[in-house]
Amino acid sequence: MPFDRVINTMENSKKMKIKKLLIIEYVFEIALIIILSFIYYLNKPIETPKVLYIHKGSINNIITQMKENKYDVNKLDTFVLRAIGLPQSGWIDLTNNINTKADFLYKLTTAKAALQNVTLIPGETTYVFLHQLADKLNLNVKKLQEVFKTLSPIEEGALVPDTYRVPIGITEVELITLLLKVSNEKMQEFSNKVFGTYNQVKWFNYVALASIIQKESANIEEMPLVSSVIHNRLNKGMKLQMDGSLNYGKYSHVKITAKRIKTDTSQYNTYLHKGIPKIPVCNVSFDAIRAAIFPTKSNYLYFVKSKSNTHEFSCNYSTHLKNISDTKRNK
């Protein structure tokens, strides 16, 4: 082989090696930039509530829901989650309002919120319940009232009595939103079963009637009878004259006196006003609503509490007066 050809071959070989080294260096630099950028991304702060609710679903759906809630997540987070695991569903305790993106994604797959029970008993008013929530969950009662007033479709009766599992650390807005959402779903479900549809105006008319039934009845079995008395009085154009209607708001557990009956001028005073109050007296059970919709067929117009703490029902006023006399005598 001629000497000059050997030299050219060696030079070409050297150039190829240099080119390969440059390519490797270039690829390495790109990889390093990508890695550093990824590390920087994972260390970026993300702001969310301390306690976050994650719906069941695929990673794509979860990320989409978060984006709809204005959280700073994107497609890259989807790939990261595919690598580290599926986010848990339910309440997630993130510990802090601000986490690094790495901590945030990791906590989605590992952390769980501590839950506690809060119970709304049938017949309780929202005023009293919100005060109970504020005491138990260490929340601001005025904020709870403001949020409820803003979000609720009605001043009273929008909550379904039940035991709710809520996370420690939940905010006033999150709590009211949760309670109203769950209650609305249950109300619509019940209405669809009974009526085949859900009409909000019609529904809360029944809730208003049911709230008086709830306050007046000694037990579930009595509710259809109490309902029949209310329907019969309404049909005759009589005032309801029921003490339970005055146990509204902060007066939920206050004994009704003759003075209160004379001085209370609110819409809830059924001694003063005819008909059913437009706003429910309290939050009611589905038993009371069922009784409001399906009263017992009777001619009863009166009832009074007996010594057994149930009620004696009567069709005429003279029998009613006798029942009152018997009750006083047996006390």
Side-chain angles (χ1 to χ4, degrees):
M1 180 182 295
F3 182 73
D4 58 344
R5 191 172 177 182
V6 171
I7 295 297
N8 288 336
T9 301
M10 291 176 64
E11 287 179 352
N12 289 336
S13 178
K14 186 177 180 180
K15 288 179 180 179
M16 286 296 294
K17 287 180 181 180
I18 292 172
K19 189 175 181 179
K20 286 180 179 179
L21 288 172
L22 288 172
I23 292 172
I24 292 171
E25 184 179 353
Y26 180 69
V27 171
F28 177 78
E29 287 177 353
I30 292 175
L32 184 61
I33 291 170
I34 292 172
I35 292 169
L36 291 175
S37 298
F38 187 61
I39 292 172
Y40 173 79
Y41 175 77
L42 291 178
N43 280 279
K44 281 181 62 179
I46 178 172
E47 186 173 358
T48 62
K50 286 184 181 180
V51 180
L52 196 64
Y53 187 78
I54 305 297
H55 294 275
K56 287 184 178 180
S58 67
I59 292 175
N60 284 332
N61 287 338
I62 290 169
I63 292 297
T64 299
Q65 289 167 3
M66 289 186 184
K67 288 175 71 175
E68 290 172 354
N69 288 326
K70 310 301 181 184
Y71 302 139
D72 184 18
V73 293
N74 53 53
K75 194 70 176 178
L76 180 57
D77 298 313
T78 303
F79 293 114
V80 176
L81 286 172
R82 290 188 191 283
I84 63 177
L86 181 69
Q88 301 177 94
S89 59
W91 292 100
I92 304 296
D93 183 4
L94 299 174
T95 308
N96 304 303
N97 287 111
I98 298 177
N99 293 276
T100 65
K101 184 60 74 76
D103 284 340
F104 172 73
L105 296 174
Y106 177 72
K107 287 175 180 177
L108 288 183
T109 65
T110 59
K112 275 287 186 183
L115 300 174
Q116 63 178 318
N117 293 338
V118 293
T119 300
L120 171 59
I121 63 172
E124 192 54 274
T125 63
T126 300
Y127 177 91
V128 171
F129 183 52
L130 294 184
H131 277 77
Q132 292 171 345
L133 290 176
D135 290 340
K136 186 165 187 177
L137 302 177
N138 194 28
L139 297 172
N140 185 302
V141 69
K142 288 186 178 180
K143 183 72 178 293
L144 286 171
Q145 291 169 333
E146 289 170 2
V147 175
F148 182 84
K149 185 178 180 180
T150 301
L151 299 182
S152 177
I154 196 167
E155 297 168 36
E156 182 64 87
L159 301 175
V160 172
D162 202 350
T163 295
Y164 296 86
R165 297 274 287 164
V166 300
I168 297 171
I170 194 169
T171 67
E172 289 86 356
V173 173
E174 291 166 342
L175 178 58
I176 296 300
T177 301
L178 170 66
L179 295 177
L180 288 173
K181 179 178 181 296
V182 173
S183 294
N184 184 59
E185 288 173 352
K186 290 182 178 181
M187 288 178 180
Q188 290 198 34
E189 182 182 359
F190 186 86
S191 179
N192 285 327
K193 284 181 180 178
V194 175
F195 301 112
T197 186
Y198 174 73
N199 180 292
Q200 189 176 81
V201 173
K202 181 180 179 181
W203 174 260
F204 282 112
N205 284 338
Y206 278 116
V207 173
L209 194 160
S211 68
I212 299 178
I213 296 170
Q214 188 83 63
K215 287 288 190 180
E216 291 287 344
S217 301
N219 51 48
I220 293 173
E221 289 71 28
E222 276 192 2
M223 287 181 175
L225 282 171
V226 173
S227 179
S228 74
V229 172
I230 294 173
H231 279 89
N232 291 340
R233 279 180 164 259
L234 291 173
N235 290 336
K236 288 181 176 291
M238 299 171 66
K239 292 177 181 177
L240 296 184
Q241 297 183 315
M242 296 188 177
D243 289 3
S245 65
L246 286 169
N247 287 127
Y248 62 88
K250 64 182 181 181
Y251 303 109
S252 181
H253 304 286
V254 176
K255 185 176 180 180
I256 307 305
T257 62
K259 181 180 178 181
R260 175 83 188 287
I261 290 171
K262 290 179 181 178
T263 57
D264 191 304
T265 58
S266 73
Q267 64 164 306
Y268 292 106
N269 192 341
T270 53
Y271 288 89
L272 181 63
H273 307 291
K274 278 188 176 183
I276 299 166
K278 292 181 180 179
I279 304 296
V281 178
C282 60
N283 298 291
V284 302
S285 65
F286 287 127
D287 292 309
I289 295 173
R290 189 179 291 107
I293 300 169
F294 304 110
T296 296
K297 290 183 178 180
S298 79
N299 294 318
Y300 292 139
L301 291 171
Y302 309 94
F303 58 87
V304 63
K305 185 171 285 188
S306 67
K307 63 179 180 179
S308 63
N309 284 325
T310 56
H311 290 94
E312 294 289 343
F313 293 83
S314 55
C315 300
N316 55 69
Y317 191 57
S318 60
T319 304
H320 179 57
L321 291 177
K322 180 179 180 302
N323 289 339
I324 292 174
S325 178
D326 291 343
T327 299
K328 289 180 178 179
R329 188 168 57 248
N330 291 324
K331 280 187 177 179

